[in-house]
Amino acid sequence: MSLDKPYTDIPGTTIFDADKSREGYHLNQFCMSLMKAENRARFKANERAYLDEWPMTEEQKQAVMARDLNRCIALGGNIYFLAKIGATDGKSFQQMAGSMTGMTEEQYRDMMVKGGRSIEGNRTTGEKK
Protein backbone atom coordinates (compact mmCIF):
# COMPACT_ATOMS: atom_id res chain seq x y z
CA MET A 1 0.00 0.00 0.00
CA SER A 2 1.45 3.32 -1.09
CA LEU A 3 1.06 6.32 1.18
CA ASP A 4 -0.06 9.71 -0.08
CA LYS A 5 2.99 11.98 -0.24
CA PRO A 6 1.83 15.58 -0.61
CA TYR A 7 5.38 16.80 0.01
CA THR A 8 6.82 15.51 -3.26
CA ASP A 9 6.03 18.66 -5.25
CA ILE A 10 8.57 21.03 -3.70
CA PRO A 11 10.91 22.05 -6.56
CA GLY A 12 14.50 20.91 -6.03
CA THR A 13 13.70 19.08 -2.79
CA THR A 14 14.12 15.40 -2.01
CA ILE A 15 12.41 14.34 1.20
CA PHE A 16 14.20 11.64 3.17
CA ASP A 17 11.27 9.44 4.13
CA ALA A 18 10.90 5.71 4.82
CA ASP A 19 11.07 4.84 1.11
CA LYS A 20 14.26 6.88 0.61
CA SER A 21 15.69 5.31 3.76
CA ARG A 22 15.18 1.84 2.33
CA GLU A 23 16.55 2.85 -1.07
CA GLY A 24 19.70 4.35 0.46
CA TYR A 25 20.27 1.89 3.29
CA HIS A 26 23.56 0.45 1.97
CA LEU A 27 24.77 3.83 0.72
CA ASN A 28 24.23 5.30 4.16
CA GLN A 29 25.84 2.29 5.88
CA PHE A 30 28.89 2.75 3.64
CA CYS A 31 29.03 6.41 4.71
CA MET A 32 28.86 5.44 8.38
CA SER A 33 31.73 3.00 7.86
CA LEU A 34 33.91 6.04 7.15
CA MET A 35 33.80 6.91 10.84
CA LYS A 36 36.61 4.39 11.34
CA ALA A 37 40.11 5.50 10.34
CA GLU A 38 40.99 2.13 8.83
CA ASN A 39 37.93 2.26 6.57
CA ARG A 40 38.72 5.82 5.47
CA ALA A 41 42.24 4.70 4.58
CA ARG A 42 40.94 1.72 2.59
CA PHE A 43 38.42 3.90 0.77
CA LYS A 44 41.02 6.54 -0.08
CA ALA A 45 43.47 3.88 -1.29
CA ASN A 46 40.99 2.33 -3.75
CA GLU A 47 37.52 3.84 -3.81
CA ARG A 48 36.07 1.39 -6.30
CA ALA A 49 37.31 -1.69 -4.47
CA TYR A 50 35.93 -0.43 -1.18
CA LEU A 51 32.59 0.53 -2.69
CA ASP A 52 32.32 -2.90 -4.32
CA GLU A 53 32.23 -4.42 -0.83
CA TRP A 54 28.84 -2.76 -0.34
CA PRO A 55 25.62 -3.97 -2.02
CA MET A 56 24.91 -0.52 -3.42
CA THR A 57 23.58 0.09 -6.91
CA GLU A 58 26.07 0.98 -9.62
CA GLU A 59 24.41 4.38 -9.86
CA GLN A 60 25.00 4.99 -6.13
CA LYS A 61 28.66 3.97 -6.46
CA GLN A 62 29.15 6.27 -9.45
CA ALA A 63 27.53 9.17 -7.58
CA VAL A 64 29.88 8.63 -4.62
CA MET A 65 32.97 8.49 -6.85
CA ALA A 66 31.85 11.66 -8.66
CA ARG A 67 31.10 13.29 -5.28
CA ASP A 68 27.71 14.18 -6.73
CA LEU A 69 25.97 14.67 -3.41
CA ASN A 70 22.73 15.82 -4.97
CA ARG A 71 22.58 12.55 -6.92
CA CYS A 72 23.44 10.60 -3.76
CA ILE A 73 20.49 12.25 -2.03
CA ALA A 74 18.19 11.44 -4.95
CA LEU A 75 19.35 7.81 -4.62
CA GLY A 76 18.49 7.59 -0.92
CA GLY A 77 21.50 9.18 0.74
CA ASN A 78 20.95 11.18 3.89
CA ILE A 79 22.98 14.38 4.10
CA TYR A 80 24.07 13.64 7.66
CA PHE A 81 25.53 10.32 6.54
CA LEU A 82 26.92 11.78 3.30
CA ALA A 83 28.83 14.33 5.37
CA LYS A 84 31.20 11.47 6.26
CA ILE A 85 32.37 11.43 2.62
CA GLY A 86 33.12 15.15 2.81
CA ALA A 87 34.96 14.71 6.09
CA THR A 88 37.01 11.91 4.52
CA ASP A 89 37.93 14.33 1.74
CA GLY A 90 38.82 17.04 4.27
CA LYS A 91 35.79 19.19 3.37
CA SER A 92 33.63 21.13 5.78
CA PHE A 93 29.86 20.81 5.74
CA GLN A 94 29.73 24.38 4.43
CA GLN A 95 32.00 23.46 1.52
CA MET A 96 29.81 20.46 0.74
CA ALA A 97 26.60 22.51 0.89
CA GLY A 98 28.12 25.11 -1.39
CA SER A 99 29.03 22.46 -3.95
CA MET A 100 25.46 21.14 -3.84
CA THR A 101 24.06 24.58 -4.70
CA GLY A 102 26.57 25.43 -7.42
CA MET A 103 28.07 28.13 -5.23
CA THR A 104 31.49 28.64 -3.77
CA GLU A 105 31.84 28.15 -0.04
CA GLU A 106 31.96 31.93 0.39
CA GLN A 107 28.84 32.52 -1.74
CA TYR A 108 26.95 29.87 0.19
CA ARG A 109 28.02 31.32 3.54
CA ASP A 110 27.03 34.83 2.47
CA MET A 111 23.62 33.62 1.29
CA MET A 112 22.98 31.88 4.60
CA VAL A 113 24.13 34.87 6.64
CA LYS A 114 21.64 36.99 4.68
CA GLY A 115 18.78 34.64 5.62
CA GLY A 116 19.03 31.81 3.11
CA ARG A 117 17.29 31.32 -0.21
CA SER A 118 14.29 33.31 -1.25
CA ILE A 119 10.97 31.47 -1.05
CA GLU A 120 10.27 32.54 -4.64
CA GLY A 121 10.53 29.49 -6.87
CA ASN A 122 10.83 27.20 -3.87
CA ARG A 123 7.17 26.77 -2.92
CA THR A 124 5.17 23.64 -3.56
CA THR A 125 3.99 23.60 -7.14
CA GLY A 126 0.34 23.91 -6.03
CA GLU A 127 0.93 26.81 -3.63
CA LYS A 128 -0.20 30.27 -4.59
CA LYS A 129 2.17 33.21 -4.19
Side-chain angles (χ1 to χ4, degrees):
M1 176 175 94
S2 180
L3 297 175
D4 182 36
K5 296 183 178 187
Y7 51 78
T8 60
D9 70 342
I10 303 169
T13 301
T14 302
I15 305 296
F16 189 78
D17 62 7
D19 290 333
K20 282 292 173 193
S21 178
R22 282 187 289 280
E23 180 183 358
Y25 178 79
H26 295 293
L27 169 58
N28 293 318
Q29 290 299 302
F30 148 74
C31 291
M32 290 304 291
S33 78
L34 298 177
M35 291 182 66
K36 293 184 178 180
E38 61 268 22
N39 291 337
R40 289 190 300 274
R42 289 179 53 227
F43 176 63
K44 289 165 81 171
N46 187 335
E47 290 186 9
R48 183 64 204 216
Y50 189 74
L51 288 169
D52 282 342
E53 294 177 22
W54 296 89
M56 296 161 47
T57 67
E58 182 61 27
E59 195 172 8
Q60 288 170 328
K61 292 175 186 181
Q62 291 296 325
V64 168
M65 289 187 296
R67 300 306 192 269
D68 186 343
L69 300 176
N70 289 323
R71 189 72 192 130
C72 287
I73 288 172
L75 296 170
N78 180 292
I79 189 59
Y80 297 106
F81 296 134
L82 295 171
K84 309 300 186 253
I85 298 171
T88 297
D89 290 341
K91 306 252 176 169
S92 70
F93 196 86
Q94 188 168 288
Q95 287 171 309
M96 292 175 57
S99 77
M100 294 170 69
T101 61
M103 299 178 191
T104 65
E105 178 184 7
E106 293 77 21
Q107 290 169 327
Y108 178 79
R109 181 194 62 236
D110 291 346
M111 176 194 67
M112 295 306 289
V113 167
K114 292 176 184 170
R117 289 182 193 236
S118 165
I119 188 65
E120 297 307 317
N122 292 310
R123 302 172 193 270
T124 63
T125 55
E127 184 179 6
K128 301 227 186 264
K129 293 182 181 182

